[in-house]
Amino acid sequence: AETVLPEMDPTVVADFATGITGWVPESGWDYSAGKADLTSKKEETTIAWDETMQALKVSLDYTQDSASTWSEAKVKLTGATCDVSAYNLLTYDIIHPADFTDYKVKVFANNADSATTIIEKEGILETTDLESGMKKTTVMVKFSPNAEKITDLTLGTIGVNSSFKGDIYIDNV
């Protein structure tokens, strides 16, 4: 039988209205960040706060990774304390150029104190067109509620045989 959760308002982990405090790049998986001839492709992407977009800007470069079916650039929120005992869905938005199409996402969430993995799965993507010519993709990841709080949240953007180079914007986590 499925657990019935109480009615809860959404919890906003990050809306990036005033900055990206706590968010850091993390070593990627088979990701070179545009650097040629690497023996170990575990580069970090570049992130910044975009004041105009009020979002986390992630500069991606898959130009050296187009042969890879899973080239993952990651960003991580550390020091969070998110109670997910009454939640079973994590969502966030990616605003991106229309030509960024060959990708998927994976979310990792855990409690660092107890080494409990709370989320480790790919997201479902729903994309809509924006008037600016950009696209907005809403990422949805279902998970089981957990008594352990999320302390670390990692968002992976995976290039799938992609040669995309450009900026995407993460918002409304």
Side-chain angles (χ1 to χ4, degrees), residues 52-75:
T52 303
M53 297 283 287
Q54 292 193 343
L56 173 65
K57 179 172 88 170
V58 181
S59 298
L60 298 175
D61 187 342
Y62 295 107
T63 56
Q64 298 295 317
D65 305 310
S66 62
S68 177
T69 59
W70 193 284
S71 178
E72 186 172 9
K74 300 178 188 178
V75 296

Side-chain angles (χ1 to χ4, degrees), residues 120-135:
E120 185 175 344
K121 60 193 301 190
E122 289 183 44
I124 297 167
L125 310 177
E126 286 186 4
T127 303
T128 56
D129 294 329
L130 299 176
E131 290 180 17
S132 64
M134 301 278 276
K135 292 194 178 273

Side-chain angles (χ1 to χ4, degrees), residues 18-93:
T18 59
I20 60 170
T21 302
W23 289 87
V24 296
E26 185 174 48
S27 296
W29 175 261
D30 201 23
Y31 179 67
S32 65
K35 297 175 186 167
D37 302 321
L38 295 177
T39 53
S40 175
K41 293 172 49 168
K42 296 182 185 227
E43 295 300 301
E44 293 180 355
T45 190
T46 302
I47 67 170
W49 179 55
D50 188 289
E51 185 175 6
T52 303
M53 297 283 287
Q54 292 193 343
L56 173 65
K57 179 172 88 170
V58 181
S59 298
L60 298 175
D61 187 342
Y62 295 107
T63 56
Q64 298 295 317
D65 305 310
S66 62
S68 177
T69 59
W70 193 284
S71 178
E72 186 172 9
K74 300 178 188 178
V75 296
K76 182 176 186 174
L77 174 63
T78 58
T81 308
C82 304
D83 180 352
V84 292
S85 60
Y87 293 92
N88 63 358
L89 181 67
L90 180 136
T91 64
Y92 65 97
D93 296 327

Side-chain angles (χ1 to χ4, degrees), residues 155-166:
L155 308 178
T157 305
I158 301 118
V160 180
N161 298 114
S162 177
S163 59
F164 175 80
K165 180 179 179 179

Side-chain angles (χ1 to χ4, degrees), residues 97-150:
D99 64 344
F100 183 45
T101 56
D102 299 325
Y103 75 98
K104 52 186 159 184
V105 300
K106 188 167 182 181
V107 173
F108 305 85
N110 65 53
N111 181 292
D113 300 326
S114 66
T116 301
T117 299
I118 299 167
I119 304 171
E120 185 175 344
K121 60 193 301 190
E122 289 183 44
I124 297 167
L125 310 177
E126 286 186 4
T127 303
T128 56
D129 294 329
L130 299 176
E131 290 180 17
S132 64
M134 301 278 276
K135 292 194 178 273
K136 175 182 170 182
T137 298
T138 298
V139 176
M140 295 166 285
V141 179
K142 292 182 179 180
F143 63 94
S144 297
N146 198 303
E148 297 286 340
K149 290 179 172 47
I150 292 174

